[in-house]
């Protein structure tokens, strides 16, 4: 990688006064806009999710955190967030602890195609924590549709996206950091997080969708959630439900999942999906909310 790119990603605290920090900034609403674009984001179902969430609860738990859009809008007083993706959760730790330094680091990386692929080719293990998080944020904001996909060796391999791409403003980073101040952040399996929840706590689950008719394309990392994990999830939420935990699951209209939770409340919804690069394939999809309390 050339020295200019090396400087831009690693010497993140020495921005030139002549450099325009607004050169690739996108609009965002502090306190409401997430920092990450994420496959399966519930942005289009946010209003319905807010209505479906319980009016009162203790601590908030979200083991498949992704972009965290419901977390932002619920503003829980105490929370436990987690995901199996270590790069995502490491970035959230930096967002919580050093939001402005991270923002400046990302903003100081040029947004052209050549630099994108150079940044993508860097081994994250060779970077300091803030530079590592900056690389992750940058690739997420400029890759195709915010997809996180890796090859067999674990290397990020998503191509650069098109259109109005950019980094959220500094205020979005700072406000998200404030939301995370009261959060415990983990990179562990979902079961360990759900097992922590106690009576009257609220667990929101948005696991990766499993379609056995399609090949695993690794949108969340290869093998990040399998069919056997779905059955393990059901066993885990049943135990939590017996402890008095309030649980909401958002998933695609999956008869198998609903058959495993026959006494749970169901609400069906329709949403337009836009992950496909083929616009004609971006069809409406049927989704469901499953809860152990009345919706």
């Amino acid at each position: 990688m050339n020295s200019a790119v090396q400087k831009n990603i690693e010497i993140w605290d020495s921005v030139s006064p002549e450099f325009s920090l607004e050169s690739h900034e996108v609009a965002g609403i502090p306190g409401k806009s997430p920092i990450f674009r994420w496959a399966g984001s519930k942005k289009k179902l946010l209003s319905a999710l807010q209505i479906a969430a319980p009016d009162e609860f203790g601590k908030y738990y979200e083991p498949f955190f992704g972009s965290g859009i419901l977390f932002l809008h619920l503003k829980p007083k105490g929370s436990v967030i987690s995901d199996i993706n270590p790069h995502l959760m490491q970035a959230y730790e930096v967002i919580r602890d050093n939001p402005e330094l991270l923002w400046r680091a990302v903003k100081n990386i040029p947004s052209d195609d050549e630099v994108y692929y150079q940044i993508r080719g860097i081994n994250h293990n060779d970077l300091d924590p803030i530079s590592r998080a900056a690389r992750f944020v940058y690739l997420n904001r400029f890759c195709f549709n915010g997809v996180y996909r890796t090859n067999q060796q674990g290397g990020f391999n998503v191509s650069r996206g098109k259109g109005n791409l950019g980094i959220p403003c500094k205020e979005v980073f700072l406000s998200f950091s404030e939301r995370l101040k009261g959060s415990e952040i983990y990179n562990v399996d979902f079961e360990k997080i759900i097992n922590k929840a106690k009576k009257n706590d609220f667990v929101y689950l948005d696991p990766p969708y499993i379609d056995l008719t399609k090949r695993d394309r690794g949108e969340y990392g290869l093998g990040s959630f399998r069919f056997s994990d779905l059955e393990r999830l059901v066993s885990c939420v049943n135990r939590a439900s017996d402890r008095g935990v309030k649980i909401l699951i958002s998933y695609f209209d999956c008869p198998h999942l609903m058959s495993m939770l026959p006494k749970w409340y169901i609400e069906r919804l329709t949403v337009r999906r836009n992950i496909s690069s083929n616009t004609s394939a971006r069809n409406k999809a049927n989704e469901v909310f499953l809860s152990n309390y009345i919706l």
Side-chain angles (χ1 to χ4, degrees):
M1 188 181 67
N2 66 51
S3 59
V5 175
Q6 187 76 23
K7 177 180 179 181
N8 278 323
I9 193 167
E10 292 194 352
I11 308 181
W12 32 262
D13 59 349
S14 58
V15 180
S16 168
E18 291 78 25
F19 184 80
S20 173
L21 291 177
E22 286 72 42
S23 58
H24 50 270
E25 190 170 286
V26 293
I29 303 174
K32 295 185 178 181
S33 297
I35 291 173
F36 294 110
R37 304 155 66 223
W38 206 251
S41 168
K42 291 299 177 288
K43 182 178 180 180
K44 295 177 181 178
L45 291 176
L46 179 59
S47 296
L49 278 172
Q50 289 179 282
I51 294 171
D55 294 330
E56 296 182 356
F57 56 87
K59 187 174 284 188
Y60 176 80
Y61 290 77
E62 188 171 347
F64 302 97
F65 195 64
S67 68
I69 193 164
L70 180 60
F71 162 84
L72 278 176
H73 286 257
L74 290 183
K75 304 177 184 178
K77 294 180 179 179
S79 58
V80 178
I81 64 173
S82 180
D83 197 89
I84 200 64
N85 186 320
H87 312 294
L88 175 66
M89 302 320 290
Q90 188 269 337
Y92 275 124
E93 288 179 340
V94 176
I95 291 167
R96 180 189 62 192
D97 300 334
N98 290 289
E100 185 166 355
L101 285 176
L102 177 60
W103 174 78
R104 292 179 70 85
V106 181
K107 291 289 292 184
N108 202 25
I109 305 173
S111 60
D112 58 88
D113 288 12
E114 179 183 359
V115 172
Y116 174 86
Y117 289 105
Q118 288 178 325
I119 298 298
R120 194 183 75 170
I122 297 173
N123 186 333
H124 69 273
N125 291 320
D126 295 334
L127 301 172
D128 63 85
I130 291 184
S131 298
R132 191 181 310 144
R135 174 182 179 270
F136 186 84
V137 174
Y138 177 87
L139 292 176
N140 173 267
R141 297 300 312 191
F142 287 99
C143 73
F144 169 73
N145 269 5
V147 171
Y148 181 85
R149 186 184 64 223
T150 59
N151 56 28
Q152 295 289 347
Q153 292 72 43
F156 185 77
N157 64 357
V158 181
S159 61
R160 193 182 189 282
K162 305 295 182 184
N164 184 29
L165 303 176
I167 309 301
C169 64
K170 180 171 66 174
E171 289 71 24
V172 168
F173 277 72
L174 295 177
S175 60
F176 208 124
S177 175
E178 284 301 312
R179 291 279 193 274
L180 291 172
K181 294 299 185 188
S183 299
E184 300 173 43
I185 301 176
Y186 296 97
N187 164 225
V188 295
D189 178 79
F190 65 83
E191 191 167 0
K192 293 183 179 180
I193 298 301
I194 298 172
N195 286 343
K196 289 177 174 286
K198 300 177 181 179
K199 184 177 181 179
N200 292 325
D201 288 339
F202 174 42
V203 175
Y204 170 55
L205 299 160
D206 182 33
Y209 296 173
I210 298 171
D211 187 344
L212 296 178
T213 66
K214 297 180 180 179
R215 178 171 62 88
D216 179 5
R217 298 182 181 276
E219 281 83 356
Y220 304 92
L222 285 172
S224 61
F225 195 79
R226 302 178 185 275
F227 187 76
S228 59
D229 292 320
L230 187 61
E231 297 183 338
R232 186 164 59 92
L233 178 69
V234 169
S235 296
C236 189
V237 298
N238 276 328
R239 294 195 303 271
S241 184
D242 290 341
R243 297 195 303 271
V245 178
K246 300 174 183 179
I247 304 168
L248 175 65
I249 304 172
S250 53
Y251 210 63
F252 77 98
D253 197 342
C254 174
H256 180 68
L257 175 60
M258 288 183 283
S259 70
M260 291 190 289
L261 297 168
K263 296 182 180 180
W264 285 42
Y265 298 94
I266 300 173
E267 180 179 351
R268 287 181 167 84
L269 309 99
T270 301
V271 64
R272 184 175 294 279
R273 285 287 173 216
N274 59 359
I275 292 298
S276 174
S277 59
N278 179 2
T279 55
S280 65
R282 298 180 183 184
N283 298 322
K284 292 182 178 179
N286 295 320
E287 303 210 4
V288 296
F289 291 165
L290 290 163
S291 70
N292 64 342
Y293 56 87
I294 297 176
L295 291 170

